[in-house]
Amino acid sequence: QVQLVESGGGLVEAGGSLRLSCAPSGRTFSWYSMAWFRQAPGKERNFVATISASGSRTYYSGSVKGRFTISKDNAKNALYLQMNSLKPEDTAVYYCAARLPTSSDAITASLQEYAYWGQGTQVTVSS
């Protein structure tokens, strides 16, 4: 079983940067496709970014494209989300998620496809 733990959340001013990390326990995740989702109070959990197991393919939601970068370091067994030019609208709990794909280059933005989830880390962007 894969267990995920997020870290790196906190308070940042609008226009600033923050980097989130996700580390697994139980297994290495080189075979897993990873993603970030976020959820604000009273809102649905929404897709942010994903990366294939191989790291060769990435995909972003339109609201974060050009500002956020997802990366995967299989050697260090770590997932990252670099967030730049942060806006107050980015304030949410951010969740790391993982899935075992049918191929190393497969990606999906569908929440239902991810079987493993972290506990979430709070990101607050002040204006």
Side-chain angles (χ1 to χ4, degrees), residues 43-98:
K43 303 291 186 179
E44 295 182 345
R45 189 171 298 185
N46 294 319
F47 169 77
V48 176
T50 187
I51 188 166
S52 61
S54 67
S56 65
R57 298 180 67 200
T58 59
Y59 180 71
Y60 300 88
S61 71
S63 62
V64 308
K65 186 179 295 184
R67 299 188 298 120
F68 291 10
T69 302
I70 188 171
S71 61
K72 187 170 185 272
D73 189 336
N74 287 333
K76 293 184 177 180
N77 213 27
L79 175 75
Y80 305 100
L81 183 67
Q82 178 66 47
M83 304 184 292
N84 298 326
S85 301
L86 282 162
K87 305 175 181 179
E89 303 94 282
D90 296 318
T91 296
V93 176
Y94 284 69
Y95 296 90
C96 175

Side-chain angles (χ1 to χ4, degrees), residues 10-18 38 67-68 83-92 94 122-127:
L11 176 65
V12 65
E13 294 182 348
S17 298
L18 204 62
R38 65 186 182 185
R67 299 188 298 120
F68 291 10
M83 304 184 292
N84 298 326
S85 301
L86 282 162
K87 305 175 181 179
E89 303 94 282
D90 296 318
T91 296
Y94 284 69
Q122 177 71 48
V123 172
T124 302
V125 183
S126 63
S127 60

